[in-house]
Amino acid sequence: MPTQHGEAAVMRLLDPESGRKSLAEIGMPEDVLEAFLRIIHKPHGLVLVTGPTGSGKTTTLYAALAELNKPQKKIITVEDPVEIQMSRINQIQVNTKIDLTFARVLRSALRLDPDIILVGEIRDRETGEIALRAALTGHLVLSTLHTNDAVSTALRLIDMGMEPFLVASSVQAIVAQRLVRRTCSHCRSEHSLSPGETAWLKSLLDQDPLPTFYAGSGCNECNHTGYRGRTGVYEILTLNEQLVDALRCNDQTRFEQLAGAQPGYRPLVRHALDLAAAGETTVEEAMRLSGWME
């Protein structure tokens, strides 16, 4: 991109080998992993993985495909671009210059008798409606959407122009995720909370005293940053009968209330705090994820 004093560029480097992770390796907590595995082994329905750019959505989807990739299953992916090549899977890369769009490829893919379809991203109403109808007609559909959390994702589909009854009948589960920096294990030590951090933690945790948190002081192993590597933070929302009814009626307020009260539902920030309490990341990273300004 041209700027005032030259050009700006961002380069994203992909190591295909490091991108090949199993679901057990990407950092999902046990309860989220168990629910996610149960959902992706269903014969049909739409499963969405959501989050901003660079939050690890593609890694999660490829891990799910690796779990589902069996000789008796026919899998077709529609991607932009195809990032990791996988055996036994029909991977198609879209090309808008020749009108090979998500929607056009998806229509053709449905004629090829797939069991599982991966749609790289739902970008518009047409692609979304085809994916929803495919999920209704006996296919398991995996896809991504750019939203902030699991609860707002189903409502986002309706805002894009899709019929509420279609969303309610198709969506099985929504996983929201982020990546946080992992505390360096070589220089990790007990962290003294600032007044702002203490106030934020007390607003979220019903604990007194607060648990012990850790942070890296910086060393040669982590290039003096206090962090080394990243790990995922996840939340999952599975749609039950009450949530489906609220969606079908396009009752957004009731849907949000029911989702927040669903047994076992934990927001992203609570998983981040669990990681911070275990010394895997820092309170600073959890606060950054939540958007809190100290």
Side-chain angles (χ1 to χ4, degrees):
M1 183 173 66
T3 61
Q4 189 66 30
H5 299 290
E7 294 184 353
V10 171
M11 183 177 292
R12 297 181 67 182
L13 302 177
L14 176 69
D15 180 358
E17 293 306 316
S18 66
R20 295 177 185 271
K21 295 183 182 293
S22 69
L23 286 172
E25 295 174 323
I26 62 175
M28 278 188 179
E30 200 66 36
D31 56 336
V32 174
L33 178 59
E34 184 180 329
F36 188 62
L37 283 170
R38 187 172 62 251
I39 291 294
I40 65 172
H41 280 99
K42 289 190 174 183
H44 57 82
L46 175 64
V47 181
L48 291 167
V49 179
T50 72
T53 302
S55 60
K57 299 186 298 295
T58 301
T59 300
T60 299
L61 286 178
Y62 276 120
L65 286 184
E67 171 71 23
L68 297 168
N69 190 9
K70 303 291 189 293
Q72 62 269 29
K73 295 286 186 182
K74 182 171 184 179
I75 303 175
I76 297 178
T77 74
V78 188
E79 306 172 66
D80 183 23
V82 174
E83 295 185 21
I84 298 175
Q85 295 183 15
M86 302 183 73
S87 61
R88 283 204 305 265
I89 293 180
N90 300 286
Q91 297 175 275
I92 305 165
Q93 182 163 318
V94 301
N95 186 347
T96 54
K97 292 180 180 178
I98 58 172
D99 200 29
L100 203 63
T101 60
F102 275 106
R104 188 170 184 182
V105 175
L106 195 50
R107 283 197 193 91
S108 298
L110 289 172
R111 300 190 187 102
L112 299 176
D113 192 30
D115 298 298
I116 300 163
I117 303 170
L118 183 145
V119 183
E121 183 184 344
I122 295 178
R123 296 179 178 175
D124 51 55
R125 177 180 176 179
E126 185 180 16
T127 305
E129 286 189 344
I130 298 170
L132 289 171
R133 294 187 187 280
L136 274 178
T137 54
H139 305 89
L140 178 67
V141 182
L142 308 175
S143 191
T144 70
L145 203 63
H146 288 271
T147 54
N148 292 325
D149 53 43
V151 176
S152 64
T153 301
L155 305 176
R156 169 68 178 144
L157 289 173
I158 295 173
D159 289 341
M160 289 173 70
M162 287 159 234
E163 294 291 344
F165 77 90
L166 201 55
V167 176
S169 303
S170 305
V171 178
Q172 294 286 336
I174 303 162
V175 176
Q177 68 179 77
R178 297 288 192 283
L179 292 176
V180 293
R181 292 178 292 175
R182 192 188 291 272
T183 309
C184 176
S185 60
H186 295 273
C187 60
R188 183 174 64 190
S189 59
E190 192 170 324
H191 172 62
S192 298
L193 296 172
S194 68
E197 289 172 338
T198 302
W200 179 72
L201 288 166
K202 286 186 174 179
S203 70
L204 291 174
L205 299 176
D206 187 19
Q207 286 182 250
D208 192 21
L210 291 170
T212 301
F213 295 97
Y214 297 86
S217 56
C219 64
N220 290 334
E221 294 291 333
C222 61
N223 200 24
H224 299 280
T225 62
Y227 297 100
R228 187 174 184 181
R230 295 187 297 177
T231 188
V233 178
Y234 300 89
E235 70 179 24
I236 187 167
L237 179 66
T238 55
L239 270 66
N240 57 25
E241 190 175 339
Q242 291 81 13
L243 287 170
V244 167
D245 287 341
L247 267 185
R248 192 175 286 116
C249 300
N250 199 12
D251 189 341
Q252 298 190 9
T253 303
R254 182 163 170 260
F255 180 83
E256 290 174 352
Q257 290 172 344
L258 289 169
Q262 189 183 54
Y265 171 74
R266 282 189 311 161
L268 283 165
V269 68
R270 294 308 299 262
H271 183 209
L273 282 176
D274 289 344
L275 291 174
E280 289 292 311
T281 189
T282 62
V283 174
E284 179 187 10
E285 284 291 279
M287 292 178 74
R288 179 180 62 83
L289 182 147
S290 71
W292 177 277
M293 299 297 290
E294 188 175 351

